[in-house]
Amino acid sequence: MTGQWETLGEAGGIEAYVHRPASEVRGAVVVCSELYGVNAYVRATCAELAEAGYAALAPDYYWRGARRTGLGYSAEEREEGLVLMRALDRDELVADASAALAAARAEAGERGVAFLGLSMGGHIAMRAATELSFELAAVFYPGWLLNTGFPLVGSVPPLETSERIAAGGAFVLGFRGELDHIIPAEEWEQAEQRLTKAEVPHELVTYPGARHGFACADRPADHDPRAGADAWRKVYSALASHL
């Protein structure tokens, strides 16, 4: 089956790109995109998850300002994405994540749900984990876990309330590259400490020599095939274990 855009909830509201497995459903994954929106890379990620047996839904978090945004990785398109990202609101993101979770639960049947976050989407997945209850948050180079500065973060970054992640029940699996210019090593260490203190089950991984965006083959300057392959192996292992 090919992916398609579908409305989540009321007509005129948030949409998601949905790709379903051809046979047995092993669970559902909410794919939260980079600042580039639901682009070709995100849609391909949904297709790969569906091929592995998971219903994949990629919400269009930009829908209030621009529908079905799918940008490439040029400098100009990054600036366009930054404008859209800066317009996002924390509470609206939580509402959209809640709608996506409800749709994912319906797709998953008796199986579990994961939020898979990519960069900006990693932040959204972690925010969702503080407000909603689901089985797994798998996040690639998530930003602003312990600092503010954008309306989408709000006044309290996600890991300031790590105990709420523990209450929600999500296992946290996180990936960062050693050379990530957005997530310094000290912040990743602090994230480890916060999750441990709150007794959130988790695994945080750093890949030597890898950059921000290392898992994306559409970003050749940043792509690290070895690190990306290892991270995805861990993701699929976690999906099998928690969903």
Side-chain angles (χ1 to χ4, degrees), residues 8-93:
L8 305 181
E10 297 181 3
I14 185 172
E15 296 177 294
Y17 181 81
V18 182
H19 206 127
R20 296 180 176 87
S23 55
E24 179 186 2
V25 177
R26 302 178 64 188
V29 182
V30 178
V31 181
C32 303
S33 67
E34 303 166 292
L35 65 84
Y36 304 95
V38 184
N39 61 8
Y41 169 57
V42 172
R43 296 193 300 272
T45 298
C46 290
E48 291 171 4
L49 286 162
E51 186 175 353
Y54 300 96
L57 305 82
D60 176 17
Y61 289 111
Y62 290 150
W63 69 276
R64 292 176 180 84
R67 290 270 182 185
R68 302 185 183 183
T69 300
L71 303 172
Y73 294 100
S74 69
E76 294 78 13
E77 287 168 300
R78 181 177 185 275
E79 288 304 312
E80 185 178 346
L82 284 170
V83 170
L84 291 168
M85 184 187 75
R86 289 174 181 137
L88 292 176
D89 173 81
R90 175 202 179 279
D91 293 337
E92 290 175 347
L93 281 176

Side-chain angles (χ1 to χ4, degrees), residues 4-222:
Q4 60 188 15
W5 284 97
E6 299 181 13
T7 301
L8 305 181
E10 297 181 3
I14 185 172
E15 296 177 294
Y17 181 81
V18 182
H19 206 127
R20 296 180 176 87
S23 55
E24 179 186 2
V25 177
R26 302 178 64 188
V29 182
V30 178
V31 181
C32 303
S33 67
E34 303 166 292
L35 65 84
Y36 304 95
V38 184
N39 61 8
Y41 169 57
V42 172
R43 296 193 300 272
T45 298
C46 290
E48 291 171 4
L49 286 162
E51 186 175 353
Y54 300 96
L57 305 82
D60 176 17
Y61 289 111
Y62 290 150
W63 69 276
R64 292 176 180 84
R67 290 270 182 185
R68 302 185 183 183
T69 300
L71 303 172
Y73 294 100
S74 69
E76 294 78 13
E77 287 168 300
R78 181 177 185 275
E79 288 304 312
E80 185 178 346
L82 284 170
V83 170
L84 291 168
M85 184 187 75
R86 289 174 181 137
L88 292 176
D89 173 81
R90 175 202 179 279
D91 293 337
E92 290 175 347
L93 281 176
V94 171
D96 290 345
S98 181
L101 176 60
R105 288 284 182 210
E107 297 288 340
E110 297 182 356
R111 306 299 291 265
V113 171
F115 272 64
L116 173 73
L118 308 165
S119 192
M120 178 191 82
H123 174 88
I124 295 172
M126 292 301 292
R127 172 63 69 195
T130 71
E131 301 287 343
L132 307 170
S133 182
F134 51 89
E135 284 67 38
L136 172 67
V139 293
F140 286 79
Y141 22 85
W144 317 295
L145 297 182
L146 287 163
N147 51 71
T148 60
F150 291 101
L152 84 160
V153 181
S155 60
V156 181
L159 292 191
E160 288 289 343
T161 55
S162 296
E163 68 280 359
R164 298 182 65 162
I165 302 175
F171 183 95
V172 174
L173 175 61
F175 306 107
R176 167 191 173 270
E178 179 189 20
L179 305 181
D180 196 308
H181 65 288
I182 292 177
I183 310 165
E186 313 86 75
E187 183 178 331
W188 205 235
E189 292 168 4
Q190 291 170 15
E192 173 77 44
Q193 293 165 6
R194 294 293 179 90
L195 292 170
T196 299
K197 183 177 180 180
E199 299 184 347
V200 176
H202 68 278
E203 179 183 3
L204 299 186
V205 182
T206 296
Y207 289 102
R211 299 177 178 275
H212 191 86
F214 68 80
C216 181
D218 292 352
R219 302 171 65 171
D222 302 315

